[in-house]
Amino acid sequence: RDLRMSRGLGDVYKRQIKTKTESKSQLLIEAENTGNNITNNEKLFSDFKNLKELMHSYKVQAMQFRKLKEEYQEKEAICISAQQLYNEEEQKYSRELAGIIAEKLEANQPCPVCGSRSHPHKALKSESTLTAEQIKALKSDYEQKQTEFEKIKQTCISENSHIQHGLEEVKRIFSSLTGETDLTFAEIKESISEYLSELDEKLENLRKRKAEINKAIAEITNLEAEHAENAEKLEETAQLINCLLYTSPSPRDMRRS
């Protein structure tokens, strides 16, 4: 009877171990799938976070570009003003050229225009007319301002092209992550915040579930070890009882002796 009981308990432990092993196998599969989901969602979270940082950098560049554009407009106005001043004074100088030449005529000296040594009716120069040196200085000032304006103009063109390319890159990356297209910069920014919030919550739940699975697997592993030890002890007990049954003398043999 003790032998049958020991073997019966051993079978019970074996069935329990088998059940726990099957449960553990399922948990291991779930743990692997959960781990893969965590990895994939962490990468997606990182991609969205990097895209958000990229958008912020382009936003900063756009703000800097607005200041650069203001400087461009200011230098453009200065350049136009310098050009207008030079053109006006140069034209005035040309109109007053006869008076300027007459101003330099001396008695009995030939006129550089007609060659006459007599100058009874000299042309008069306006008092507001600038000298040739002053006209030259205005031209030099205008050319310097023109050079500065062209320099900042090229910078603006380059920066604007860079920013526009960056915005297209943001749209391309966002579309590759979500499949969404034709969104404005502001709409993309809002969507990214929503995706990050959802992914953060999802990752928290996945990590919590993974911890629960790992805990369950650890408990099953401990139970497997405990059941295996108990089954081994029961098997040893059954063998011992069996050995005693076959080696001990029967009551009839004992009476004969």
Side-chain angles (χ1 to χ4, degrees), residues 85-115:
L85 179 61
Y86 165 69
N87 289 339
E88 290 172 2
E89 293 299 331
E90 197 275 334
Q91 290 172 7
K92 187 188 295 185
Y93 180 84
S94 297
R95 289 194 300 267
E96 298 287 337
L97 192 57
I100 294 170
I101 293 173
E103 189 179 41
K104 296 180 180 180
L105 290 175
E106 297 179 4
N108 298 320
Q109 294 297 320
C111 174
V113 179
C114 65

Side-chain angles (χ1 to χ4, degrees), residues 35 65 69 75 90 100 107 113 120 137 140 144 160 170 175 178 180 212 221 228 234 254 257:
F65 177 73
K69 191 174 180 180
K75 286 190 179 295
E90 197 275 334
I100 294 170
V113 179
S140 177
Q144 181 182 351
N160 183 60
V170 165
S175 179
T178 65
E180 300 180 51
E212 292 173 350
T221 301
L234 287 171
M254 292 179 67
S257 61

Side-chain angles (χ1 to χ4, degrees), residues 10-199:
D11 292 339
V12 170
Y13 277 120
K14 287 179 181 179
R15 286 195 297 270
Q16 289 178 342
I17 291 172
K18 183 180 179 182
T19 300
K20 295 294 183 182
T21 301
E22 291 173 351
S23 176
K24 181 180 178 180
S25 298
Q26 294 174 352
L27 286 172
L28 287 170
I29 293 172
E30 186 181 355
E32 183 179 1
N33 292 336
T34 303
N36 290 335
N37 283 335
I38 290 174
T39 300
N40 293 335
N41 281 279
E42 282 178 339
K43 183 181 183 305
L44 192 57
F45 184 90
S46 177
D47 290 341
F48 274 117
K49 190 174 181 180
N50 290 337
L51 182 57
K52 184 178 181 179
E53 292 175 355
L54 181 64
M55 289 183 68
H56 177 70
S57 70
Y58 281 120
K59 182 180 178 181
V60 172
Q61 291 180 35
M63 293 173 64
Q64 294 173 342
F65 177 73
R66 280 196 289 271
K67 294 180 180 179
L68 184 65
K69 191 174 180 180
E70 291 174 0
E71 186 179 353
Y72 161 83
Q73 292 171 340
E74 181 181 345
K75 286 190 179 295
E76 182 182 33
I78 291 173
C79 182
I80 291 173
S81 177
Q83 182 184 29
Q84 289 176 344
L85 179 61
Y86 165 69
N87 289 339
E88 290 172 2
E89 293 299 331
E90 197 275 334
Q91 290 172 7
K92 187 188 295 185
Y93 180 84
S94 297
R95 289 194 300 267
E96 298 287 337
L97 192 57
I100 294 170
I101 293 173
E103 189 179 41
K104 296 180 180 180
L105 290 175
E106 297 179 4
N108 298 320
Q109 294 297 320
C111 174
V113 179
C114 65
S116 174
R117 291 179 180 276
S118 177
H119 318 297
H121 304 291
K122 292 182 180 181
L124 298 177
K125 184 190 80 167
S126 172
E127 292 296 329
S128 62
T129 302
L130 300 180
T131 64
E133 289 73 15
Q134 289 173 318
I135 295 297
K136 185 178 179 180
L138 285 177
K139 182 180 180 182
S140 177
D141 181 65
Y142 157 63
E143 289 175 344
Q144 181 182 351
K145 288 179 169 57
Q146 176 72 15
T147 300
E148 293 174 357
F149 168 68
E150 288 297 330
K151 183 178 179 180
I152 195 171
K153 179 181 178 181
Q154 292 304 317
T155 303
C156 280
I157 292 173
S158 176
E159 287 297 314
N160 183 60
S161 176
H162 177 70
I163 291 172
Q164 292 304 317
H165 174 75
L167 294 178
E168 291 302 318
E169 182 68 5
V170 165
K171 290 181 179 181
R172 185 193 66 78
I173 296 174
F174 181 78
S175 179
S176 69
L177 293 174
T178 65
E180 300 180 51
T181 58
D182 301 325
L183 271 68
T184 65
F185 194 85
E187 289 171 336
I188 291 176
K189 181 180 179 182
E190 183 178 355
S191 294
I192 288 176
S193 296
E194 292 174 356
Y195 276 114
L196 285 173
S197 178
E198 291 173 3
L199 285 168

Side-chain angles (χ1 to χ4, degrees), residues 198-209:
E198 291 173 3
L199 285 168
D200 189 52
E201 182 179 356
K202 187 175 182 180
L203 282 168
E204 183 179 356
N205 292 333
L206 284 170
R207 288 168 183 146
K208 182 178 180 181
R209 177 55 185 161

